[in-house]
Amino acid sequence: MLTFPRWKYFAILLVLILSTLYALPNAYPLDPSVQVTAARAGGVAIDKALRDRVAAELTKAHITADSVAIESKDNLLVRLPDPNVQTRAADMLRPLLGGDYVVALSLAPTAPKWLDWFGAKPMPRGLDLQGGVHFAMEVDQKAAIDKRMDAFQEDIRATFREKRILYSSVSRTGPATIGITLKEGADNDKAQNELRRMFPTYQVGGEATRLAITVPDAGLRQLATEAIEQNLTTLRNRVNNLGVAEPVIQRQGTDRVVIQLPGLQDTAEAKRQIGATATLEFRAVVGDEAQAAAALADNRVPPDARIYYDQFHRPLLLSKRLLVSGDQLVNAVPGIDAQRGVPNVSITLDSTGGQRMLDHTIDNVGNRLGIVYVERIPETKIVDGKEVHSSRIDERVISSSTIQGVFGKDFQTTGLSREEAQSLAKQLKAGALAAPMSFVEERVVGPSLGAENVKRGTTAVLYSFLFALGFFLLYYRMFGLITCLSLLLNLLMVIAVMSLPFIGATMSLPGFAGLALTVGMSVDANVLINERIREELRAGMPPQAAIATGYDRASGTIFDSNMTALLAGLALLLFGTGPLKGFALTMIIGILTSVFTAVTVSRAMATLVYGGRRKPKSIAI
């Protein structure tokens, strides 16, 4: 008897509806567009006035946009007719809007809004198919070396305090030199031995109470290289937070990093997160607001202090000595202060930073601690018709509260807006940049080449389908039609699954190869089933029993053969990288869907056609 459970029909119908729903966004093309957002959380507004201004500037520059609209919160999108106009519009808007805005190239979806209710998005495509965003960033090597030299000074102070070596000052006396002044009676030999232990490859010298450490040229190059390598790690963490599949992040030359993000929709957010340089600095307060105002009025700021301003532009004297910096933060979690109901960030320092904070708070309970929010803001100007990239440093004191008790590596800080707290926590989690970086190049990668690859890849898959369908229709007749419908559902399911956001798949040329391979494997499974049914018919079995027996006996073989291919795909996915992982993921999804469609869906259709007939004498196979 040829039967099929009714609930399985409903399950197949549900799979068909969901597959159509989640594959549908891929039928709509993407618009070349320019995305404008605020450079800083809680910064300038993205409103109607900005939209009108952008539209007026585009008209003045004779650039025709398909639309200029605020399509989501804090996101102005300018849709343009082609990539060339897109680049012109971005180049025109970037210097006009200035550093308060992020102007980024993007590809905007055109799928109906109601698909967003179900979370249906177009399947991301790799750089070789759709192109993507290409950034080139330049590392400020001088700033990297300055930062390491400042850290060396603090390390020397901490070591001398620990070893009870009396000193008066530790400061930079040249680009690659740190000078140390010992107090009268200090052990010069002991100090030199400690310095040589700390810096075995640097030059240590001096007499009496004056010592000097000189970093040789090779050491300076090593410091710059280490800064770039740390920046690469931090950038990879930040890109991972964006959820981009198969990104390319690699060093180029001595001071540049190339980042390629395939199929990214929110390029402005990517640019903001990748280039973000906001961090926190912890410094002792050495003079309150009144003393700072008096020092400003008399123009007599103490040599070991510096004037900082809080959000109300009130001056405050903070020590030049940096207690803890952003690269010593290992975790940051945004939250709400339970007592005051204001946003806060729970901070965890590494062991070195925690020890420094512990040493400072032990000796300074009752004194104030200043927390400075430091942000490097990139700026672009047009000078003599050329873009000139620069940056400015924005520093403000977000907290200068009194130290109530001793603490070490875990504590909380307030003084930021909710958006700033969340943005800062995200950046600190990804790690601080060892050296400031600035964007020196931005472009969309190969849209024409990608379009050609998509056309050729689609043609290849289409013809493979047509050849298979033609063969099945002619050779297996009704069961050929059933097989064709199963193959179409299989393709629909693969596209739908790969479009699900949580899968994190990106379709690339190797992915197309994986897709074509799964079509072939699905064909194999259906051939096996059809031939089994023919063998049972030739053995004299009644048609309905032959169908049931054919499916039952072929299923085991199909499972076995596909499981071995599945294990090979898992190995590729686990140990492969880049395009190889894309191929493996497409193949794994295709294997699972082809088994489902060949064993379950085609049987359901065969039962639907022949199961209701009373003892058919023959079947079309």
Side-chain angles (χ1 to χ4, degrees), residues 494-561:
V494 172
I495 295 174
V497 172
M498 292 192 67
S499 301
L500 294 174
F502 63 85
I503 293 294
T506 297
M507 178 58 80
S508 58
L509 277 181
F512 265 111
L515 195 59
L517 179 63
T518 58
V519 172
M521 296 180 69
S522 185
V523 167
D524 285 347
N526 283 278
V527 167
L528 193 62
I529 292 169
N530 293 341
E531 290 300 323
R532 275 287 186 183
I533 295 173
R534 279 183 168 180
E535 286 179 7
E536 301 303 332
L537 288 173
R538 282 195 289 269
M541 190 173 288
Q544 289 183 336
I547 294 173
T549 306
Y551 274 102
D552 290 341
R553 292 185 175 176
S555 297
T557 307
I558 293 171
F559 275 119
D560 291 344
S561 62

Side-chain angles (χ1 to χ4, degrees), residues 61 290 298 449 513 530:
D298 299 339
L449 177 63
N530 293 341

Side-chain angles (χ1 to χ4, degrees), residues 273-460:
Q273 289 294 332
I274 291 170
T277 54
T279 188
L280 296 179
E281 291 181 354
F282 299 83
R283 298 174 183 273
V285 177
V286 295
D288 60 19
E289 288 79 356
Q291 292 171 317
L296 276 174
D298 299 339
N299 196 22
R300 297 178 63 183
V301 178
D304 60 342
R306 186 184 152 196
I307 296 287
Y308 286 84
Y309 295 90
D310 65 11
Q311 57 181 332
F312 304 109
H313 205 66
R314 292 177 302 199
L316 197 64
L317 278 170
L318 300 186
S319 171
K320 284 184 177 177
R321 180 189 165 200
L322 183 60
L323 288 175
V324 175
S325 60
D327 53 1
Q328 290 164 325
L329 304 176
V330 296
N331 195 16
V333 180
I336 300 295
D337 186 275
Q339 296 181 341
R340 294 188 290 168
V342 297
N344 67 5
V345 181
S346 298
I347 290 174
T348 302
L349 302 176
D350 63 11
S351 57
T352 304
Q355 185 61 49
R356 286 183 184 175
M357 189 61 76
L358 182 65
D359 292 342
H360 180 77
T361 54
I362 286 175
D363 298 331
N364 290 276
V365 173
N367 295 329
R368 294 168 68 182
L369 176 68
I371 303 177
V372 185
Y373 180 80
V374 184
E375 185 172 10
R376 185 186 178 94
I377 301 171
E379 294 182 324
T380 304
K381 296 178 181 175
I382 299 294
V383 178
D384 298 332
K386 295 182 180 178
E387 282 191 10
V388 176
H389 300 276
S390 60
S391 61
R392 61 182 169 87
I393 305 296
D394 182 21
E395 297 175 321
R396 73 173 190 275
V397 179
I398 61 170
S399 173
S400 57
S401 55
T402 302
I403 300 172
Q404 302 292 339
V406 176
F407 57 86
K409 65 177 184 178
D410 295 307
F411 56 94
Q412 293 183 347
T413 183
T414 58
L416 296 171
S417 68
R418 185 187 301 273
E419 292 81 8
E420 285 177 327
Q422 291 177 345
S423 177
L424 180 65
K426 195 181 294 183
Q427 292 169 35
L428 295 179
K429 276 183 181 176
L433 292 174
M437 302 183 75
S438 56
F439 290 94
V440 294
E441 185 182 344
E442 177 194 353
R443 57 187 166 87
V444 170
V445 178
S448 57
L449 177 63
E452 181 66 20
N453 287 337
V454 170
K455 182 181 176 184
R456 288 177 178 270
T458 306
T459 303

Side-chain angles (χ1 to χ4, degrees), residues 14-28 111 114-124 491-503:
L14 181 63
V15 169
L16 176 62
I17 293 172
L18 291 177
S19 298
T20 305
L21 182 67
Y22 283 94
L24 189 58
N26 296 286
Y28 295 89
W114 61 267
L115 286 172
D116 291 344
W117 301 342
F118 303 95
K121 303 284 185 186
M123 176 172 50
L491 181 64
L492 191 68
M493 288 175 64
V494 172
I495 295 174
V497 172
M498 292 192 67
S499 301
L500 294 174
F502 63 85
I503 293 294

Side-chain angles (χ1 to χ4, degrees), residues 85-107:
V85 179
Q86 177 193 30
T87 306
R88 275 183 58 209
D91 291 344
M92 187 272 293
L93 289 174
R94 201 169 286 129
L96 276 175
L97 296 179
D100 290 333
Y101 296 91
V102 174
V103 178
L105 304 176
S106 182
L107 293 168

